[in-house]
Amino acid sequence: MPSLSPLQFTLRSKRDCFLDAEAVLEPLVVDSEQTVGSLYLPQVLQVAVNAEWKRRQFESRLAEVLCLPLLSSDSAVRVVCLVGRGDKNVFSNSACRLIGARVYRSLQSLRISRLTVHPDFLAQMEDSVVGLQAFAEGMRLASYRFILFKNNNKSESKHSILEEVIVPYSGSAMKRRFERALQRAEIFSTATATARDLVNTPSMDMHPKRLMEIARDLAVSGSGIRCRVYDRAEMERLGMHASLSVAQGSQHEPFFVHLSYRPPRSVKSRKKIALIGKAITFDSGGLNLKPGESMNDMKIDMAGSATVLGLFQALPQLQPPVEIHGLFIAAENMPGGSAYRPGDVVRVYDGTTVEVGNTDAEGRLTLADALSYTAKRIKPDAMVDLATLTGAVIIALGSDVTGVLGTDSKLITALRTAAEDAGEYVWQLPMHASYRDLLKSKIADIKNVGGRPAGAITAAQFLERFTQRVPWAHLDIAGPCYAERETRPDLPVGGTGWGVRTLLRYIEQL
Ligand code: BES
Ligand code: ZN
Ligand code: ZN
């Protein structure tokens, strides 16, 4: 399924890495006379390339990429890709990822099928193993295109021209570490692409039942994954009335899905972690109907669950020594004669009564059931929810940054570090104590809305009520789960799969 172009990474010993090179990627070395140092090119071409990058005002800023076609028969190499080194002279992990993505795009447009990475580029990475993984991730993620619904999808896919990347190594130890890095890059980016596909698929196809089926299909024998599905009647018996209220206006039946992964018996599992995703397959707002413009992209309101599913897809290959639970309650939020109403009082799994101040604050109602179920029944060491929860977080942080809030500073720090490694952005918002009063209800235990000011914070404080003292963090991904415009080539327009790589890294660091 995942809409990635096939891209083969081949390891070759340093000595023969340049055989049949078609394009070479190398850092630009500028000495005092402003010339390129060690280009893998005949002398005559070096001069030409030197003149050209200056003419094009290439400034050698960190991760700046310039791919120059060489119109000469003096060399078999047809393109040289210069990479800026900035003033630090080392390539950080995130620079490597960006370089990978930029190079991929440039070579596609130059119709180049094979790229050779110059050993100098790897040598100048902060850490060549981690850097190589980031570089390969960047290339793969830039190749993502969602063309499932395009009629001319065959001719579109012809555009994936770059097929092979040659990576040089020296010594068998390095070879093994590079192999692993490349393998991990493939697993991480495929999982991300899966999440992107789920988010990009329209709600008419990605309805609650479909989302449940995708989870169920992950539980094949030997994968270490199990999947329990609860339908409406079973949810009723469990007491998940808040979620059932959200779902009752829709033609689609809701499902509560509980995935679990256990490491192979030979590995002792160290910790138990739960990941909970918001899974509203379409959010019309319900009777508090959203205005047209705000409704357009609301197929993305299941992005939290898409991230959980993408991540679970990667687990059988990565086999982390951690017990991982993935939970979501899939439902559609629609208006209609049977829809829940503003003013209704609904009962959450843990017994808490909630006054519905606004039917558009539906995600927190489903999460209340899922979080309290997780805390009471699974009792994990930590739980993290991912949710396209509020428009307010976009007002606070814009569309590139995820808001993180929670009850456990260690957990939050670990998530922030993991996000940094993954090249994803998070920023912590405060659980300011006095704002909790905004959720007070006159007729129930709590209200599901706290007003417009600090909307992302009061939403988190609503969720906090259902965490039963289990260390918990909440990731409000309403902004970065979806790219409305392209800000970087590894994040094409549409679903981004935000959090898949952050959480995989978080799990690995446990
Ligand atoms: N799914 C939306 C939040 C959202 C908005 C996600 C924009 C992605 C982009 C959520 O269910 C919602 O509607 N929240 C309301 C809460 C309000 C009624 C308290 C909001 O943010 O306006
Ligand atoms: Zn809503
Ligand atoms: Zn929503």
Side-chain angles (χ1 to χ4, degrees), residues 455-510:
I457 297 175
T458 54
Q461 289 172 327
F462 178 89
L463 300 181
E464 183 190 19
R465 293 273 303 228
F466 304 94
T467 59
Q468 315 270 343
R469 293 204 190 83
V470 172
W472 157 77
H474 157 63
L475 296 163
D476 194 334
I477 58 172
C481 76
Y482 189 78
E484 258 172 63
R485 59 194 174 86
E486 189 171 297
T487 54
R488 27 185 301 165
D490 52 342
L491 287 176
V493 170
T496 58
W498 198 99
V500 172
R501 288 169 304 118
T502 291
L503 289 173
L504 285 174
R505 281 178 171 77
Y506 162 70
I507 286 166
E508 287 191 323
Q509 279 155 18
L510 284 170

Side-chain angles (χ1 to χ4, degrees), residues 278 283 290 298 300-301 358 360 362 364 388-391 394 449 478:
K278 173 171 169 180
D283 182 11
K290 285 182 184 294
M298 277 306 133
I300 59 105
D301 216 17
N358 191 317
D360 198 8
E362 81 299 333
R364 60 194 81 181
T388 45
L389 202 61
T390 65
I394 306 178
V449 285

